Amino acid sequence: MSIRPVTETRRAMPVMEGAGVHLHRAFGFQDPAELDPFLLFDDFRNDRPEEYLKGFPWHPHRGIETITYVLAGSVEHGDSLGNTGTLGAGDVQWMTAGSGILHQEMPLGNAKGQMHGFQLWGNLPSNLKMTAPRYQDVTGAEIPDVIDDDGTIVRVIVGEFWGRTGPVDGIAADPQYLDISVPAGVKKTFRIDTYRRAFAYVFDGAAAFADASAPVGVLLEKEVMGQEVNIRDLSGNRTLIRFGTGDEVTVQAGPDGVRFLLISGAPIAEPVAWHGPIVMNTQAQLQQAMRDLRNGTFIQPTH
């Protein structure tokens, strides 16, 4: 067994998307090889309705899959194929855009005006770029929770873990998507397939992700008052942790415990031509997608 080293710790950055939605972006629109097969990850947590209610009006997607996981509030969605619905707290939607779809997503707060969820973009391999679009809408009640003896809780959204299988299947990147809560002070190790790219995203509490046997965090060099010092990094709220190769991730929960997403997937390792929500393999394919949008042929006929 080998513990995956932490290659980078990064705070999610505030951005504005859609018609004026304030959110935090952990990664996206950077080097697509960085976390291949994943392209973008947004945390759209917000307690101010005026900063999210205008939502994400009609926009296109092609060549990718979008994964929306709602924790608080709800998201109303509709698309060019006539699909409509509402994602509530705990629900997941996995949309395979494939050859092309136009859709909108309109977040709504809960009774306290709170909205919280995540959206992850997964790339599609070249042989599936123009596949027929499809949805998988999964209610929170369908997602299995596994509780370990030490109080650790794992929600298995996609993939197999601790003998349970998540309800979302047939995804190109064959990912594992886990929502993990570790109680205060507990040290825990989680298995990940060696050949997958993996990252964690801390959204509640704090924890040290260890790349050695020491349980108190990752040793980092930082400058403090002009002096180089070694400190232990305790990754806190809205923090992305990227891992190197190995087959285990070890976490030491902080004094208030920690809740984080642990996501991994098999790299596609293909060229990427990327413009906004359209991701193809070549510039020629990207230009064709733009022409399709202009001339009204972006939505492919169903067979």
Side-chain angles (χ1 to χ4, degrees):
M1 302 296 176
S2 59
I3 296 176
R4 286 178 176 248
V6 173
T7 59
E8 182 185 16
T9 300
R10 178 195 306 170
R11 292 300 298 272
M13 300 299 293
V15 297
M16 192 179 297
E17 288 290 358
V21 178
H22 295 248
L23 50 83
H24 283 74
R25 178 160 293 153
F27 64 88
F29 300 108
Q30 295 162 316
D31 179 4
E34 182 180 81
L35 281 164
D36 180 21
F38 306 114
L39 298 164
L40 175 146
F41 183 84
D42 283 344
D43 178 345
F44 51 90
R45 176 176 8 180
N46 202 311
D47 297 336
R48 296 169 57 87
E50 63 271 23
E51 293 185 352
Y52 62 77
L53 281 177
K54 291 183 180 178
F56 306 91
W58 293 99
H59 58 280
H61 283 288
R62 177 179 283 182
I64 64 172
E65 300 182 285
T66 66
I67 304 95
T68 305
Y69 179 28
V70 178
L71 292 184
S74 60
V75 177
E76 293 183 349
H77 65 90
D79 68 28
S80 52
L81 302 177
N83 298 305
T84 60
T86 300
L87 299 176
D91 296 348
V92 173
Q93 181 187 85
W94 201 294
M95 184 190 77
T96 303
S99 60
I101 200 166
L102 300 172
H103 78 152
Q104 64 174 350
E105 299 155 298
M106 307 304 289
L108 302 170
N110 59 19
K112 296 180 180 179
Q114 299 166 323
M115 179 70 228
H116 189 191
F118 308 104
Q119 188 166 93
L120 175 69
W121 290 9
N123 199 7
L124 282 170
S126 55
N127 65 321
L128 294 175
K129 288 289 188 189
M130 298 298 286
T131 192
R134 71 168 183 143
Y135 283 95
Q136 294 185 68
D137 285 343
V138 177
T139 65
E142 298 175 75
I143 299 172
D145 288 337
V146 189
I147 304 175
D148 207 4
D149 292 341
D150 58 12
T152 297
I153 302 173
V154 180
R155 298 196 81 207
V156 186
I157 297 170
V158 187
E160 186 175 348
F161 192 77
W162 286 354
R164 302 296 296 275
T165 300
V168 181
D169 61 7
I171 306 304
D174 187 27
Q176 188 178 62
Y177 191 130
L178 308 174
D179 177 352
I180 299 175
S181 299
V182 181
V186 171
K187 182 182 180 182
K188 202 72 178 174
T189 296
F190 302 95
R191 294 292 308 276
I192 298 179
D193 188 288
T194 305
Y195 300 102
R196 296 171 180 263
R197 295 272 171 79
F199 70 91
Y201 184 75
V202 177
F203 62 93
D204 191 22
F209 288 82
D211 58 0
S213 58
V216 290
V218 181
L219 191 64
L220 298 177
E221 262 192 12
K222 291 190 177 181
E223 187 173 300
V224 178
M225 298 182 67
Q227 300 293 317
E228 292 290 337
V229 296
N230 290 328
I231 65 171
R232 294 285 175 180
D233 176 59
L234 199 67
S235 299
N237 212 356
R238 285 200 177 109
T239 301
L240 173 80
I241 300 96
R242 291 176 56 208
F243 300 105
T245 57
D247 53 19
E248 293 182 338
V249 165
T250 295
V251 57
Q252 172 74 52
D256 298 317
V258 66
R259 187 175 179 187
F260 63 98
L261 303 179
L262 183 59
I263 299 173
S264 62
I268 295 173
E270 292 181 349
V272 172
W274 187 355
H275 181 75
I278 299 174
V279 184
M280 305 304 290
N281 294 110
T282 68
Q283 286 298 316
Q285 292 169 341
L286 197 58
Q287 291 163 6
Q288 181 61 54
M290 297 299 119
R291 286 195 295 270
D292 291 345
L293 275 172
R294 289 193 298 269
N295 63 25
T297 59
F298 187 79
I299 305 302
Q300 302 291 310
T302 57
H303 299 289

